[in-house]
Amino acid sequence: MATRQATIRKELEAQAARLRAELAELARGSRPSGIGQRPIDGGDVVDQASASANREQSRFRVAMLDQRLEQVINALQRLDDGTYGTCEVCGEKISDDRLEVLPTATLCVTDREGLEHGVGGGARPQPVSAVGAGQGGRRHG
Ligand SMILES: [Zn+2]
């Protein structure tokens, strides 16, 4: 039991390290130039044209990696708490098979499917785009 979790922890920590490294790499490449310029490492000359073309792509990638990193960190915290492997919704044990496939799983299969398909009593109706365009806090660069 304990050894199994130790294996999972190692796996998750390795994943977190990989994700962080990739995020750091992307952050370096997508930093906006112009304001507060700093010499980075010195060596490679950044091709500005392709950098801006890649920015959209990398921003999307950063968001994705960020989300995954969050899930991994969350799973590590759950290992510490001793709540790892139990469903966040119903508190049931998540099957070992499922955790092997998806170590960051926080929901049992039933609740997961309930969320995805909107089946079951627990599903709340999501407010669909009631927020106006004026309120978006996101910057478009
Ligand atoms: Zn559940």
Side-chain angles (χ1 to χ4, degrees), residues 78 83-94 105-112:
R78 284 156 66 79
T83 55
Y84 183 82
T86 55
C87 174
E88 275 184 342
V89 173
C90 67
E92 290 284 321
K93 194 177 181 300
I94 301 172
T106 59
L107 298 175
C108 68
V109 182
T110 313
D111 284 314
R112 178 77 206 165

